[in-house]
Amino acid sequence: MVHPSFKELFQDSWTPELKLKLEKFLALIFKANNTPKLLTIYKENGQSNKETLQQLHQQLVEAERRSMTYLKRYNKIQADYHNLIGVTAELVDSLEATVSGKMITSEYLQSVCIRLFSNQMRQSLAHSVDFTRPGTVRLCLGRAPLLCPLNFK
C-alpha cells in the first residue's frame, strides 16, 4: 500500500475508474452488437452451409459434365490427328513411288481416301466417287466443290 508503484491500486477510486475504462473499451470494441462475433459466425454458417454445399455440389456436377465432354472431344481430335498423320505418310510414300515410276492402283487410292474422311463420310465417299474416272480422286482430295460429292465447308 505504501510502495509508489502500487499505491494507486489500493485507493478507493481505482476500482470504479477501471470499471469505467473497461466499459468504454468494450463498448468501442463491440459497438452495439450484443452477440459475440464467434456466435454470429457459427449461426450464419449453420444456416447457409446447406445452401453453399448444394451450390458447390451443383457446380461440381456441371464441371464434371463439361470435363467429360471436353475429354471426348480431345480423344476424337487426337484420333483424327493420328489418322491424318498415317494417311499423310502413306500419300508421301505413294508420291515417292510414283516419282520412281511405280503405278498406284485406284483401289489403293480409294482405301486411302476412305481412311482420310470421318466415319460419317466414308460410305458416301465409297459409293459416290468414281475412282476409275481420271481426275476424280485428285479433285476430291483437292476439295474442288463441283466434282467432289462431299462439298467441304
Side-chain angles (χ1 to χ4, degrees), residues 8 14 16-26:
E8 182 180 315
W14 181 78
E17 286 177 10
L18 181 63
K19 195 174 185 181
L20 184 64
K21 286 180 184 177
L22 181 62
E23 287 174 359
K24 286 181 181 178
F25 173 75
L26 291 176

Side-chain angles (χ1 to χ4, degrees), residues 40-118:
T40 306
I41 291 172
Y42 174 75
K43 285 181 179 179
E44 287 175 359
N45 193 24
Q47 295 291 331
S48 66
N49 191 26
K50 291 178 184 177
E51 295 169 5
T52 305
L53 192 59
Q54 288 175 346
Q55 289 174 350
L56 289 175
H57 182 62
Q58 183 72 19
Q59 290 174 357
L60 177 64
V61 168
E62 184 64 24
E64 286 176 346
R65 186 190 63 76
R66 284 193 315 263
S67 173
M68 290 304 295
T69 301
Y70 294 143
L71 184 62
K72 287 177 184 177
R73 286 182 188 171
Y74 168 76
N75 287 335
K76 183 182 178 334
I77 289 172
Q78 190 176 28
D80 290 346
Y81 169 76
H82 287 295
N83 184 37
L84 186 60
I85 292 297
V87 169
T88 303
E90 283 192 44
L91 290 175
V92 168
D93 291 343
S94 300
L95 183 60
E96 288 176 352
T98 304
V99 168
S100 66
K102 295 181 183 175
M103 291 297 292
I104 304 299
T105 65
S106 62
E107 291 82 15
Y108 172 76
L109 285 178
Q110 180 179 9
S111 69
V112 170
C113 282
I114 288 173
R115 283 189 26 236
L116 181 62
F117 300 105
S118 67

